[in-house]
Amino acid sequence: MTRHLVVVLCMLMLCGFDASAAKVVFRQAVPGRILTFPRDHGKHPDFQTEWWYFTGNLESKRGREWGFQLTFFRRGLAKKPARKSSAWGVTDLYPAHFALTDVRNRAFFHKELISRGGPGLAEAAPNRLKVRVKDWSAEQRGKTILIKAHEGEYALDLKLVPMKPVVLHGLSGFSRKGDEKGQASYYYSLTRLKALGTLRFKGTIHRVTGLAWMDHEFGSSILTRNQAGWDWFSLQLDDGTDLMVFHLRRKDGTFEQTFGTLVAGDGRTSDLSGQRIRISPIGTWTSPHTKAVYPSGWRVEIPGRNIALKITPLVQDQELSSGASTGIIYWEGAVRAQGSRDGKEIKGKGYVELTGYARAIGAGL
């Protein structure tokens, strides 16, 4: 993940943010960092922006399909608390987003939270995967990752078990996001997680199984002012292959270089940077909520890998408006993939994220 943090000024004031913290200089992502686990599952306070992103496709009884998203963000305001700061002093803000998709009924639910890293409100461990915003959480215990969120009649409670090793994107986890100096992040994924647990939708509890995907990304200068947003795809195919591709979009509507990683069934990875990757929209959808026009349906082609896929949203309306937390409006939804690889038919599912269509993100990240 997702990717998206513009924190509202009034929220900073409510959190007691000292204006001098705005002068802090956070570290930039540069090549050569060695990611080590479980330490790098934790937070990285020397970098300003960070997120832990969980998405997945699930099934309940009789093949009923569901999608989910649970994302935890961290936005650094200062590297260290002031010398005489109270327990309520703030160095980080923690927004979180939770969404469920009921494919059969074409229904979509989403909720957002935001809190500061104060006493008992929100936290991220420095050396392992343990992140929480109020009572939403993600924590690794042994090999299992437990994720939980609930809001009224909606809830998610899953156990996730990695089926493949950690995937480092780009150059050993260094993921360049553009041509400007420092415009990069550190980015890795767990691309195939076996999921088991329950979800609650409109008050009804469903036992579910399926596949999930986790992204963890951190950096300080991911977008520039002339960039509007990105289109990001994570796909889990039925031959055991996983695929991540994305491209950044300029404000004039043109796209920058496409990046990606192909993960074989045995976990071996291939960096697709520099290869020809075509992402071609085949339709549009206009949000009835924000009037934003999003691409809807795509062809993803990687000729050098003999991959040609058609990607279709499982539900059109999977738009999230996060005005009370990150300030970003974006589309994040469950999708179906079908096509061919090496001349053989292939199918799968995944998630797509589309940002900057309602309004440009620019240099907010």
Side-chain angles (χ1 to χ4, degrees):
M1 333 245 268
T2 40
R3 293 178 245 236
H4 350 271
L5 281 178
V6 178
V7 180
V8 216
L9 179 60
C10 64
M11 193 64 207
L12 303 184
M13 295 172 64
L14 288 172
C15 290
F17 174 52
D18 184 347
S20 64
K23 299 178 182 178
V24 67
V25 177
F26 288 92
R27 292 181 60 186
Q28 302 292 324
V30 296
R33 183 186 180 102
I34 298 175
L35 297 180
T36 305
F37 303 97
R39 185 190 66 192
D40 277 309
H41 288 317
K43 71 174 180 179
H44 299 81
D46 287 347
F47 297 87
Q48 189 171 29
T49 302
E50 186 163 16
W51 54 76
W52 297 261
Y53 227 95
F54 297 89
T55 56
N57 284 273
L58 307 169
E59 286 191 3
S60 55
K61 289 183 178 180
R62 299 177 182 176
R64 186 170 175 181
E65 297 175 290
W66 306 87
F68 81 87
Q69 174 202 350
L70 181 59
T71 310
F72 300 91
F73 305 91
R74 183 191 63 80
R75 179 69 168 184
L77 306 179
K79 288 186 179 181
K80 297 179 181 179
R83 292 181 181 178
K84 296 182 180 181
S85 64
S86 72
W88 290 92
V90 57
T91 56
D92 296 300
L93 286 182
Y94 287 93
H97 296 172
F98 168 40
L100 293 173
T101 302
D102 177 355
V103 176
R104 185 179 72 180
N105 294 313
R106 300 291 187 265
F108 182 68
F109 163 82
H110 71 92
K111 180 67 176 179
E112 58 185 321
L113 294 178
I114 186 168
S115 191
R116 50 185 161 182
L121 298 175
E123 63 177 336
N127 55 5
R128 68 186 186 98
L129 176 54
K130 182 181 180 182
V131 59
R132 178 179 60 83
V133 179
K134 297 184 179 179
D135 53 4
W136 300 1
S137 63
E139 181 177 1
Q140 186 167 19
R141 298 179 184 173
K143 294 183 178 180
T144 302
I145 300 171
L146 308 175
I147 62 172
K148 297 180 180 181
H150 68 87
E151 177 65 28
E153 295 185 315
Y154 302 87
L156 184 70
D157 188 344
L158 295 179
K159 295 180 180 180
L160 308 177
V161 179
M163 302 171 68
K164 294 182 181 180
V166 168
V167 171
L168 304 179
H169 299 293
L171 182 62
S172 299
F174 173 77
S175 177
R176 188 174 294 282
K177 297 298 191 295
D179 296 331
E180 291 197 14
K181 183 179 180 180
Q183 191 187 356
S185 67
Y186 298 110
Y187 177 23
Y188 72 86
S189 301
L190 291 168
T191 64
R192 190 166 288 241
L193 296 154
K194 183 179 180 181
L196 172 67
T198 62
L199 65 81
R200 184 167 70 239
F201 200 92
K202 293 185 177 179
T204 301
I205 296 176
H206 304 268
R207 294 197 61 81
V208 291
T209 59
L211 291 177
W213 180 296
M214 173 197 165
D215 276 353
H216 185 193
E217 191 162 4
F218 56 97
S220 299
S221 300
I222 296 176
L223 292 186
T224 60
R225 295 188 182 280
N226 69 334
Q227 293 172 325
W230 58 79
D231 298 358
W232 171 87
F233 299 75
S234 66
L235 303 172
Q236 296 159 321
L237 303 175
D238 59 7
D239 66 350
T241 299
D242 304 319
L243 175 65
M244 183 281 295
V245 294
F246 77 96
H247 54 190
L248 293 166
R249 191 176 66 262
R250 301 184 186 93
K251 288 183 178 179
D252 63 7
T254 59
F255 288 94
E256 298 188 9
Q257 181 180 354
T258 305
F259 301 86
T261 305
L262 183 65
V263 187
D266 61 4
R268 289 180 297 171
T269 61
S270 300
D271 180 21
L272 301 178
S273 302
Q275 295 198 23
R276 188 168 53 146
I277 305 172
R278 293 194 292 263
I279 302 174
S280 307
I282 56 178
T284 61
W285 173 75
T286 301
S287 167
H289 317 291
T290 65
K291 307 307 178 186
V293 180
Y294 297 91
S296 184
W298 305 262
R299 296 193 187 281
V300 175
E301 299 170 288
I302 310 174
R305 300 287 175 169
N306 297 316
I307 294 174
L309 299 170
K310 180 182 179 181
I311 314 298
T312 307
L314 294 179
V315 174
Q316 291 277 18
D317 189 351
Q318 299 181 83
E319 183 188 47
L320 294 90
S321 182
S322 60
S325 59
T326 62
I328 304 298
I329 298 169
Y330 65 106
W331 193 97
E332 177 99 19
V335 298
R336 178 176 288 112
Q338 58 182 9
S340 64
R341 183 183 180 195
D342 294 327
K344 297 180 180 179
E345 183 179 352
I346 195 169
K347 297 180 180 179
K349 291 182 180 178
Y351 253 72
V352 171
E353 181 180 70
L354 310 170
T355 71
Y357 286 93
R359 57 175 176 262
I361 298 177
L365 285 184

